[in-house]
Amino acid sequence: MKNTFDLSIGQRLAIGFGIVFAIIAAAFAIFYSWHASSAQAQQVYSERIAPLLSETAQLERATYRLAIAVRAVMIEPTEERAQAFWQDLEGARAALNALAGSEMESDGAQIFAQISPAAENYFDAAANIVRHRLAGDVSVEEEVALTAVRNVLFSRTAQFATLQEQKAEAALQQIATARERISQGLGVVALATGAILFVLAWITAGSIRKPARRLVRVAGALESGDWKPALELAPREGEAAASNDEMRRLANAFGSAAVALERREQRMLADGRIARAIGSTLESDEVAESVL
C-alpha cells in the first residue's frame, strides 16, 4: 500500500491537470507568437507592399499613356492631341508624386532615388519634343534620345516592382507558414492533451483500484473472523500513520483495527487462563505460578 509520492487523489489530479494546463498555456503562447508574426507580415503587406505595387503599376501605366500621347502628337500635331498630352503628363507627374509619398524600406528608397530623376528627365524630354513638334522643328536625334530616356525609366520602375513583388511573396509565404503551423499545432496539442488525460485517468484509477481490491479481500477475511491479513496493513514501526493518500489511511485503519482485535483476543485468552488457574486450586503460590 506504499505510495512513493505521498499525495492524495485530489493532489494527483491537481498536478495532472496542472501539467495539462501548463502545456496548453505554453502552446497558446507559441501560437500567439506565430499569430503575431503572421499579423505583422499581413500588416506590412497590406499597408506598405501592396500600395507600393499599385502605385508603381500606376506610374508605369501613366508613362505608357504619356508615350502614346507623344507618338500621337508626333504623327499629327493638332491642338486636341497636344491637350491630351499635357493631361497625360500631369497624370504621370501625379503618379510619381504618389509613389514618392509612400512609405518604403531603405532598399526600395535607394531604387526610387534612381526612378525619380529618370522620370523627371523623361517628362521634361517629352514636353520639349512635343513643343518642338508643335513648332515644326523636331530632329530624329531627339526622338531617339527620348526613347532611351523612357527605357531607363521603365528599367528602374521594373526593378522597383520586382523588389516589391519579392517582398510580397515573402510576406504571403510567412502568413501561410504561420497559419499552417497554428493548424498543425492545434492538432498536436489536442492529441497531447488527450494522451495526458488518458494516462492521468489510468494512473489515478490504478492507484485506487489495486488498493481497493486488497481492502475488499481484507474486509472479507475480517468478516470471516480472520484478521491476520489485516495485520499486514498496520503501520510499521517508525512509519507515520498519517498520510495524504486516502487509500493508505484506510489501509492503516484496517491494520490498526486488526492489531486492536489481536490484542483484545490475547487479553481474553490470558484472562481465561488466569480464571482457570484460580479455579483449579486455592493455593496462592500455585495460582501465582500459573498466572505468571
Side-chain angles (χ1 to χ4, degrees), residues 51-61 99 157-158 160-161 164:
L52 286 175
L53 283 171
S54 176
E55 288 160 3
T56 303
Q58 290 178 4
L59 176 60
E60 289 179 335
R61 287 194 296 268
L99 182 59
T157 53
F160 186 83
Q164 302 308 318

Side-chain angles (χ1 to χ4, degrees), residues 35-101:
H35 175 73
S37 175
S38 174
Q40 183 179 7
Q42 188 170 359
Q43 182 179 6
V44 170
Y45 175 80
S46 61
E47 295 181 2
R48 183 185 303 168
I49 299 175
L52 286 175
L53 283 171
S54 176
E55 288 160 3
T56 303
Q58 290 178 4
L59 176 60
E60 289 179 335
R61 287 194 296 268
T63 304
Y64 277 116
R65 284 196 300 268
L66 185 62
I68 293 172
V70 171
R71 176 52 54 187
V73 173
M74 297 298 293
I75 294 174
E76 186 177 355
T78 63
E79 184 66 26
E80 181 180 357
R81 292 191 176 187
Q83 186 65 29
F85 166 79
W86 296 116
Q87 290 177 354
D88 290 336
L89 178 60
E90 183 179 353
R93 290 187 185 279
L96 178 63
N97 292 333
L99 182 59

Side-chain angles (χ1 to χ4, degrees), residues 159-181:
Q159 185 180 0
F160 186 83
T162 300
L163 175 64
Q164 302 308 318
E165 288 171 357
Q166 292 173 349
K167 291 185 177 184
E169 183 179 357
L172 293 175
Q173 181 63 38
Q174 185 176 357
I175 294 170
T177 300
R179 290 178 177 175
E180 184 178 359
R181 285 179 177 176

Side-chain angles (χ1 to χ4, degrees), residues 2-6:
K2 185 177 181 180
N3 183 16
T4 304
F5 301 100
D6 187 19

Side-chain angles (χ1 to χ4, degrees), residues 221-238:
L222 286 173
E223 186 179 6
S224 302
D226 181 13
W227 61 82
K228 299 298 183 183
L231 291 175
E232 299 178 1
L233 302 180
R236 300 291 185 268
E237 184 178 357

